[in-house]
Amino acid sequence: MNEIRKDIHSKLLTLSKDIKDIHISELHNQNELAEKTVKHDLLDFDYSKQRISNNILDYLFQIPDQINLRDSLKALFDGTLKNPSEDRLVSHTLYRDKNPAENFQLIISEREKIHNFLKQKNINSKFKNLVCLSIGGSRLGPELLSEFLSSDGPVNIFYCSSYDLLELNNVLRNCKQHETLVFASSKSFETSEILKNLNHLKSWFEENPDIDFQDHLYGISANAKAMDSFGIKESNQFLLLDSLGGRFSIWSSISLPAFINSDFSSYLDLLEGAQLADRHTNSASWESNIPVIMALLSIWNTSALNINNHGIFTYNFRLRSLTKYIAQMSMESNGKSINFESQLSPFLTSPLIWGGYGIESQHSTFQWLMQGKTETSCDFIGVNSGEKETIDSYEMLLSQVLAVSHGKEDAENPFKSVKGNNPCSILNLKSLDLKSLGFLLAIYEHKVFIEASILGIDPFDQWGVQLGKKLALEVDSNQEFLKDYFSSILLPKS
């Protein structure tokens, strides 16, 4: 199978020679603009500002069949796909399936538990603050949802994970024990950052002897035994499948804290949007398949055009944290180079994902993007709903796409010239609702999976992260071995 990928990589390098000296502005043809737009009820995807020709696209669309992508997608949606290095099934798409496979019934029972929690009448009246201890995908997903919902509801939601406890202490200054609800979210329930914050919270609650911490504490994890050991009541436990990766867990009870001021139907709207993305990905032809095109363009830009970074810029304030979420999912999934069978991918794998809220980026990183020497591929994500509050930002998005891709030469004042030629795609949401958000997030999930399938790597493990965790535990138990690697001035002060 790796020989096929080597052949694909070699062909991409050959094709790149035909286009390496051509500017995006030269490829611009008004008659072809519509051909490079994929329309969906919830989102339009435009890739007319990519540095790519029609004959190159024709070849790219042959790649999915060369790697048997249909079979891989079927396994992903059936729940039969395996994460080989950890010997686990992959289950995140089943979390939004209305009728998940028989051996995934925990999803149904936990979904009902979410429903029962959100319909409680006393939660919003009894508590003013919710502190969610979570990290990585378990934090970035719910935090993104909280910002998207931008609710002024009765419960203030705070997310904490800092190892120095400063973040949590800042939050607790404005909280009282009897008004505070706590969610501890950790798939393993062994994550050091979460346990450290949780123990600190426990001590804070114990400062008020009239409060029973167990009545205020909920846990979300695949490790029921660890939650039991910490004293979390069984009725306050939300269980995850061990096969659910943290960066793909937004569809599960991990996102429950974000809906504390909302209702179960809102949660279902998010899932419905993701389901629609699943159907689109599983059934659309390669030429009209949004995540397939996104993945192919990423492979092309990275391995053929040698662009090692990808900027994602959002043009709606409610999507301001989306880049962080996508970056974590993308780089933790595809930031590797060797597969489980010890085969080295012939491609350059995940680019650096960076960016942020576009309006702010324009006044910081865009100067580097416009006139620096490094090329960048970009996604611009906006909302074109026709509503007054979205029009100005969307117009700003379009103007920046032109500047970044086409640029502008100033022969009289070369220092004012903007080279352009940065490949850009536009993801245009037609409405700013949870269904559309669910669709968008699932599209990026599938893009990551399809890209990994082409690269020949496992997107569901993270052994690099595991090494960092292992060394942190060693340092915590024995600081002496640090002396072999660091000068005395850098060692921790006792």
Side-chain angles (χ1 to χ4, degrees):
M1 192 61 173
N2 219 37
E3 293 304 313
I4 293 173
R5 291 181 172 84
K6 288 178 182 176
D7 290 343
I8 293 171
H9 182 250
S10 177
K11 178 69 172 177
L12 293 181
L13 291 179
T14 300
L15 289 169
S16 69
K17 295 174 184 176
D18 299 333
I19 207 165
K20 66 177 182 178
D21 296 323
I22 298 178
H23 197 279
I24 288 173
S25 59
E26 298 174 57
L27 295 167
H28 179 78
N29 184 333
Q30 183 66 37
N31 295 326
E32 294 181 359
L33 290 181
E35 295 176 14
K36 293 184 173 63
T37 301
V38 180
K39 297 180 180 179
H40 187 274
D41 291 343
L42 298 178
L43 180 149
D44 292 331
F45 174 68
D46 176 272
Y47 60 103
S48 63
K49 306 297 182 291
Q50 291 286 333
R51 203 192 315 167
I52 199 163
S53 63
N54 287 336
N55 69 303
I56 293 171
L57 275 173
D58 289 342
Y59 174 71
L60 292 184
F61 288 131
Q62 297 174 31
I63 293 175
D65 288 330
Q66 292 181 45
I67 63 163
N68 299 318
L69 183 60
R70 281 289 176 212
D71 292 342
S72 300
L73 289 173
K74 183 179 186 303
L76 176 69
F77 295 121
D78 287 348
T80 57
L81 185 74
K82 184 166 274 193
N83 166 1
S85 76
E86 296 177 325
D87 195 29
R88 293 173 180 161
L89 292 173
V90 175
S91 61
H92 63 274
T93 61
L94 300 178
Y95 268 85
R96 60 250 194 169
D97 194 323
K98 290 179 180 176
N99 298 294
E102 208 170 291
N103 52 330
F104 293 99
Q105 286 306 298
L106 178 70
I107 295 173
I108 296 295
S109 60
E110 290 301 302
R111 196 178 292 169
E112 186 59 31
K113 201 166 184 178
I114 294 170
H115 185 197
N116 291 334
F117 178 86
L118 290 175
K119 73 180 182 182
Q120 292 180 80
K121 300 298 182 185
N122 67 326
I123 290 290
N124 289 356
S125 59
K126 185 177 179 182
F127 299 103
K128 291 184 179 179
N129 304 297
L130 187 155
V131 178
C132 181
L133 306 179
S134 51
I135 198 166
S138 299
R139 171 172 178 165
L140 293 172
E143 196 165 26
L144 167 65
L145 286 173
S146 291
E147 292 178 356
F148 183 84
L149 291 166
S150 58
S151 171
D152 295 323
V155 181
N156 302 309
I157 308 171
F158 304 99
Y159 295 90
C160 298
S161 57
S162 76
Y163 206 57
D164 53 23
L165 302 176
L166 293 177
E167 186 177 34
L168 180 57
N169 283 329
N170 285 339
V171 167
L172 296 182
R173 285 193 189 101
N174 300 307
C175 296
K176 297 177 181 177
Q177 287 91 341
H178 69 278
E179 297 174 340
T180 303
L181 193 64
V182 177
F183 270 80
S185 303
S186 170
K187 179 182 167 183
S188 66
F189 222 78
E190 295 172 350
T191 310
S192 57
E193 295 90 343
I194 302 308
L195 295 179
K196 185 174 183 179
N197 278 266
L198 187 54
N199 282 312
H200 187 67
L201 256 176
K202 183 179 180 182
S203 299
W204 178 72
F205 268 91
E206 288 172 350
E207 292 173 9
N208 188 336
D210 297 327
I211 301 292
D212 187 347
F213 183 39
Q214 291 184 351
D215 293 335
H216 294 244
L217 177 61
Y218 287 78
I220 304 174
S221 177
N223 191 344
K225 190 175 292 186
M227 288 193 286
D228 290 338
S229 298
F230 199 88
I232 300 177
K233 296 177 181 178
E234 186 177 347
S235 59
N236 289 4
Q237 295 180 15
F238 291 87
L239 291 176
L240 304 172
L241 290 169
D242 192 47
S243 53
L244 178 67
R247 55 190 177 273
F248 302 103
S249 65
I250 195 171
W251 321 106
S252 71
S253 53
I254 285 290
S255 65
L256 177 56
F259 290 98
I260 190 74
N261 291 314
S262 192
D263 54 28
F264 187 62
S265 64
S266 298
Y267 170 67
L268 292 181
D269 285 343
L270 180 76
L271 300 190
E272 184 181 352
Q275 286 177 326
L276 292 172
D278 294 345
R279 289 179 206 151
H280 168 81
T281 305
N282 203 27
S283 61
S285 66
W286 303 140
E287 293 82 2
S288 59
N289 195 308
I290 297 171
V292 166
I293 298 171
M294 290 174 71
L296 291 171
L297 289 173
S298 180
I299 298 287
W300 169 255
N301 288 328
T302 305
S303 286
L305 299 184
N306 204 33
I307 299 174
N308 68 357
N309 70 101
H310 182 72
I312 299 177
F313 304 101
T314 58
Y315 277 78
N316 189 282
F317 186 68
R318 288 168 61 187
L319 297 173
R320 60 193 178 276
S321 291
L322 179 60
T323 299
K324 288 193 295 183
Y325 176 82
I326 297 172
Q328 191 263 348
M329 175 174 61
S330 300
M331 291 194 288
E332 193 169 59
S333 295
N334 293 348
K336 54 201 73 160
S337 54
I338 299 174
N339 69 12
F340 181 56
E341 297 173 341
S342 299
Q343 294 174 327
L344 180 69
S345 175
F347 302 93
L348 293 176
T349 52
S350 175
L352 167 71
I353 309 292
W354 65 284
Y357 181 41
I359 299 297
E360 292 178 350
S361 298
Q362 287 172 207
H363 296 273
S364 54
T365 54
F366 270 35
Q367 171 56 44
W368 174 86
L369 179 58
M370 299 288 187
Q371 291 189 305
K373 296 185 75 172
T374 303
E375 293 181 329
T376 301
S377 60
C378 302
D379 287 348
F380 285 79
I381 302 172
V383 182
N384 189 18
S385 63
E387 296 177 5
K388 189 176 186 301
E389 67 173 17
T390 68
I391 291 174
D392 290 346
S393 289
Y394 191 70
E395 289 176 348
M396 183 68 79
L397 178 155
L398 295 177
S399 67
Q400 300 308 304
V401 169
L402 280 178
V404 169
S405 61
H406 282 235
K408 188 173 179 64
E409 184 122 5
D410 190 327
E412 291 185 13
N413 302 291
F415 62 90
K416 291 184 180 180
S417 292
V418 174
K419 68 182 188 320
N421 216 27
N422 296 291
C424 296
S425 296
I426 299 172
L427 292 100
N428 164 33
L429 293 170
K430 299 180 182 180
S431 180
L432 197 61
D433 54 33
L434 281 165
K435 189 187 295 187
S436 299
L437 179 65
F439 184 87
L440 178 65
L441 298 183
I443 286 292
Y444 269 100
E445 281 185 352
H446 296 324
K447 179 255 185 184
V448 167
F449 172 69
I450 294 164
E451 193 171 5
S453 299
I454 298 169
L455 296 171
I457 54 178
D458 180 1
F460 302 111
D461 60 17
Q462 53 280 325
W463 293 105
V465 175
Q466 300 305 329
L467 173 61
K469 289 181 179 179
K470 180 182 178 183
L471 289 174
L473 289 173
E474 288 184 28
V475 171
D476 193 47
S477 61
N478 176 24
Q479 294 183 1
E480 286 299 309
F481 88 98
L482 290 175
K483 294 178 180 178
D484 294 333
Y485 300 94
F486 300 98
S487 70
S488 58
I489 61 171
L490 293 177
L491 295 176
K493 297 178 182 178
S494 56

